[in-house]
Amino acid sequence: MKKIVIISSLTLTLFASDGYVPLSNLSDKQKEEYNFINKNNVINLEENNTYEKVEKVQAFQEKKELKKEPTKTDEEFIEDYKKQNILKDEKKESSTFFSQDFSITPKLSYSYLTVDGYYPHKVRPEDRKNIIIPELLIRYKNHILKYEQIKVKTYFEKVIIGDNDFDMKTSWQKLAYLYQYNENVNFGLAYNIYKSDSNVYYNTLTIPYEEREKFASLEVNFKNQENNLLAEYGISYGKNHEIDYSYEYYLTLGYKLLDNDKLIFNAGYKNKTISIEDLKFKYEGPVIGISSTF
């Protein structure tokens, strides 16, 4: 009944004021106020579209963020790859270069060595021994360290005045630094340590005698190679205030046993001579040996 009265009065008021307002022109609040519509039955389009709007906003933001990410060019991909792999490449190159520049060559030689110890034009005792001569060569680029040693014990019978005997133990060590001038020539300096211990047996007496000498020597080595054949030869010369002179010469011919390996069999001749106060000692004889480079 209230609704009918309100509508009637509203209609009369509107007609009386000549300002008729259609129902469609009323706002939702006015419609609700006048009880034309039920709030629970109103469909809120704005609320229903909220989820769709949020989805659109999120999609737009994601699309915007994706657009902000710059795309890599081919040059940038190559640059990134180089950065990631440069350390690996450097390791490979350095290990390769190091293996090419650095090498170790051990060598063992067998010699039927003749040892002469004598005063010129007076007495010349002689003894022959079988010995092993070890050598080691370490090379880095053009720089070479070479070590060599001979050790021999000899016995000289009835050579001293009165047909007396004597024996002698000899050690000769040499450490040389050589510079590789080219593929065929090395030259440098060596440090020599010469030791000899002798016992002279005179009747019932034993008279000891020793010699200790340290001296430098000049070294020149040569090498020629063709296919699997290798020729090596060299000379050295040294002295000090006690040593009149010391010299060495050698010649060896080698053959590579394997084409792809540096395993070499060699044979030749070697002479090492030292003169101390007119007493000369000579160590010479044929040598055969084998060497390998790592």
Side-chain angles (χ1 to χ4, degrees), residues 167-178:
D167 61 26
M168 184 173 67
K169 292 180 181 178
T170 301
S171 171
W172 192 336
Q173 298 170 294
K174 177 188 285 190
L175 178 63
Y177 165 76
L178 302 170

Side-chain angles (χ1 to χ4, degrees), residues 135-137 144-148 174-176 178 221 250:
E135 295 180 41
L136 181 66
L137 187 146
I144 299 169
L145 282 178
K146 183 180 179 181
Y147 175 79
E148 177 188 337
K174 177 188 285 190
L175 178 63
L178 302 170
N221 299 330
Y250 68 91

Side-chain angles (χ1 to χ4, degrees), residues 101 139-144 177-182 186:
D101 294 337
R139 180 183 66 85
Y140 178 69
K141 293 185 177 179
N142 292 339
H143 307 284
I144 299 169
Y177 165 76
L178 302 170
Y179 178 77
Q180 184 177 353
Y181 179 71
N182 55 40
N186 303 328

Side-chain angles (χ1 to χ4, degrees), residues 60-119:
F60 175 76
Q61 288 178 345
E62 289 175 359
K63 189 174 181 181
K64 193 175 181 182
E65 289 175 358
L66 288 174
K67 285 183 178 179
K68 285 181 181 180
E69 234 179 76
T71 57
K72 291 184 177 181
T73 63
D74 292 341
E75 289 78 8
E76 289 173 328
F77 275 116
I78 293 171
E79 189 67 26
D80 289 344
Y81 177 81
K82 285 183 178 178
K83 288 179 181 178
Q84 294 172 5
N85 292 274
I86 188 168
L87 293 177
K88 297 179 182 177
D89 294 341
E90 284 180 355
K91 283 184 179 179
K92 289 178 182 177
E93 288 179 2
S94 61
S95 62
T96 303
F97 292 150
F98 185 75
S99 63
Q100 290 176 351
D101 294 337
F102 181 81
S103 67
I104 298 177
T105 305
K107 181 179 180 181
L108 283 178
S109 299
Y110 163 82
S111 178
Y112 184 55
L113 190 70
T114 299
V115 181
D116 294 340
Y118 60 94
Y119 282 107

